[in-house]
Amino acid sequence: VKLVSTNRRRTFQSGVALIYGLLPKFDLSKIEVHTAINAGMCVDSPDSKFPCNCDAVKDLHDIISSTFGQTHPNMTDQKGYKEHYNKIAQIFGVESHNVPRASHIMDVGMVAMCHDLPLPGRSKECMDSSSLHYVVNAINNNGLAHATSGPFLRMARLRMLPLLNQIYQGMMDKISGKTDNKLVVYSGHDSTIDPFLVALNMSGGIWPMYASRVTTELYSTRDSH
């Protein structure tokens, strides 16, 4: 069993929890653990065919940051945007332009909602579910409008190339008998899943929800005799 996690405690704990659910008698000391240097789940290795840091990705990220940073006019002009953001800003006691980006609000809010905990707030006042639902819908509308755009598709494929190659190479090593790994877990973020699905033309623009997971499987065909 191999675990690759970003350098966040929650992603490491999430990966360990998933493995424990499959193998409750596992020994953590026997698991091969690696740390990815970014949300693209890239692991620096002398054997890697692709560098973890790609200048082209950085340039493209600058081009589309306003679109996918959720400050683009296509999102901020949505009906109800100012109303809900002003409400959220009032609850947290900040100016509306200082409210975190929508995906961060959704990230924290969905965790609370899924675990039946109070939504985030300040003092005795918390966000209400209608504001959280609005934020989720706004993110998805923004994603539907832009996820298949040329710059984002190109950036997603460049960013995910090292990970896709790692998965491919791991399967080829398994086929050739170079590795005994039966399970490899990559524990990352919603910002890992989204470009991964876009790179494979499997994304409809809907932002990955809390506890989302993508599974790839390797099958073999055997002669019945």
Side-chain angles (χ1 to χ4, degrees), residues 63-126:
I63 292 171
I64 68 167
S65 61
S66 62
T67 298
F68 294 94
Q70 293 140 20
T71 57
H72 192 273
N74 285 352
M75 181 168 185
T76 55
D77 289 344
Q78 289 184 40
K79 183 179 179 181
Y81 182 93
K82 290 183 179 179
E83 174 192 346
H84 286 279
Y85 257 64
N86 287 340
K87 187 189 299 183
I88 293 170
Q90 185 176 2
I91 290 172
F92 287 98
V94 298
E95 298 293 330
S96 58
H97 62 270
N98 288 327
V99 173
R101 66 171 58 182
S103 60
H104 292 179
I105 297 173
M106 184 191 78
D107 198 18
V108 175
M110 290 303 297
V111 172
M113 183 171 282
C114 289
H115 290 281
D116 198 24
L117 298 172
L119 290 174
R122 187 174 68 109
S123 299
K124 295 182 179 180
E125 189 176 9
C126 297

Side-chain angles (χ1 to χ4, degrees), residues 21-43:
L22 297 170
L23 307 168
K25 294 184 179 180
F26 83 100
D27 182 348
L28 184 58
S29 65
K30 295 181 180 179
I31 294 178
E32 182 183 348
V33 179
H34 297 270
T35 301
I37 68 169
N38 54 40
M41 302 307 299
C42 191
V43 178

Side-chain angles (χ1 to χ4, degrees), residues 11 35 96 103 112 125 129 133 158 160 164 173 188 190 204 208 210 216:
T11 57
T35 301
S96 58
S103 60
E125 189 176 9
S129 59
H133 288 151
L158 286 173
M160 288 294 111
L164 289 168
D173 288 346
D190 48 7
Y210 175 58
T216 61

Side-chain angles (χ1 to χ4, degrees), residues 8-29:
R8 296 290 187 270
R9 293 174 183 173
R10 64 182 184 274
T11 57
F12 175 75
Q13 291 167 346
S14 179
V16 171
L18 176 64
I19 295 171
Y20 181 81
L22 297 170
L23 307 168
K25 294 184 179 180
F26 83 100
D27 182 348
L28 184 58
S29 65

Side-chain angles (χ1 to χ4, degrees), residues 154-206:
R154 177 170 167 75
M155 189 195 77
R157 287 178 173 172
L158 286 173
R159 185 174 177 79
M160 288 294 111
L161 185 58
L163 174 58
L164 289 168
N165 181 69
Q166 288 173 28
I167 294 173
Y168 165 77
Q169 195 58 55
M171 290 184 171
M172 295 304 295
D173 288 346
K174 182 66 177 177
I175 292 171
S176 63
K178 292 182 179 179
T179 179
D180 292 327
N181 285 339
K182 293 185 177 181
L183 174 67
V184 180
V185 174
Y186 293 90
S187 189
H189 306 267
D190 48 7
S191 55
T192 305
I193 292 178
D194 188 52
F196 185 84
L197 293 178
V198 170
L200 296 175
N201 290 326
M202 296 174 64
S203 172
I206 303 299

